[in-house]
Amino acid sequence: MRTGTKIGLGVIGSGMLAASYYFYEMAIATNPKPFLTNNRDLSDEMVRLMQPGQTWIKEQPLELVATQAHDGLTLRAHYLPPLVPSDRVVILVHGYGGVGTDLAGFAYLYHQAGFHVLMPDNRGHGKSDGNYIGFGWHDRQDCLRWIDYLVRRVGTTSSVFLHGVSMGGATVLMTSGETLPAQVKGIISDCAYTSVNAVLAYQMKRMYRLPHFPFLAMTSVLTKLKAGYFFSEASALKQVKKATVPILFIHGEADTFVPTSMVYELYNACQTEKELVVIPNAAHAMAYFEAPDRYDEVVEAFVRRVLLARDVQI
């Protein structure tokens, strides 16, 4: 091989390695995410609409609790007890770059219905340990730890629901494919992606106008080395095929951040009892804010139906 060719290949290889490090730092490492600000696919209106919930949550008697992850990280969450004695429990799982109390509006919905509410900070987020974002894959194992924590705290007769939004939606769907304790009765997934590979390939094309190959594959290898998982492992689509509890799928019809087409793939792959609700005009993570009454109605009906079907007193 000629010297010039070797140099050229070396330059290309170095450039691609540098690109993989760039995309790792941009997407996986826990650092500021400027691309989430002024993103054409994310609604600035959500910040304003979240404020009433944030005011309410700050007035509640939140307890900061902790559990240990399978790999030794300390995970933390905010816990809100019910207004009256209850054995109904919900774990609210936040999205990419957020924290548990971002879902204050959802916490209010469940708290008013008599639920214990747990709002974990995902690994690498908020008050939880970790230096990478798990995109739901390692988070699914963390979710199992939180389920065990709540069953110990509330009791073996508890009825647990998982409700996640965006990356949180993918997390609860990835959790659905695991062997779940009998206390888990149902799952609500709002605007989840099918897999990490699929959503990053979509974003790479949309944000950078780049083909996903070879950049995504190289970043996946780097993520395996630094964070312990390949992108190909992290598939909600594969996990829902193994689900055994009822799942409610919610998505915004106008979602261009996690394209609405993904919810149909997830719904069709799911083999257990399921329901699909697509909210007209709703952008990413905006279904609740676009149609709050409809959202409340759908979630309440799903929870009630699941509890009745399992002979749980409501």
Side-chain angles (χ1 to χ4, degrees), residues 61-80:
L62 298 179
E63 177 186 351
L64 185 64
V65 299
T67 192
Q68 204 78 8
H70 70 283
D71 54 0
L73 294 180
T74 298
L75 307 170
R76 297 177 177 87
H78 285 95
Y79 165 75
L80 180 62

Side-chain angles (χ1 to χ4, degrees), residues 33 36 94-99 102 125 133 167:
K33 306 298 181 186
L36 296 178
H94 67 80
Y96 183 90
V99 294
D102 286 347
H125 292 75
I133 295 173
M167 187 181 81

Side-chain angles (χ1 to χ4, degrees), residues 152-175:
R152 290 195 304 271
R153 179 163 184 160
V154 179
T156 57
T157 61
S158 57
S159 297
V160 180
F161 286 81
L162 311 178
H163 188 150
V165 179
S166 192
M167 187 181 81
T171 298
V172 297
L173 292 184
M174 291 178 189
T175 308

Side-chain angles (χ1 to χ4, degrees), residues 23-42:
F23 287 121
Y24 179 88
E25 290 297 318
M26 185 272 293
I28 311 299
T30 53
N31 49 36
K33 306 298 181 186
F35 68 89
L36 296 178
T37 305
N38 298 321
N39 189 301
R40 58 177 173 164
D41 295 323
L42 297 174

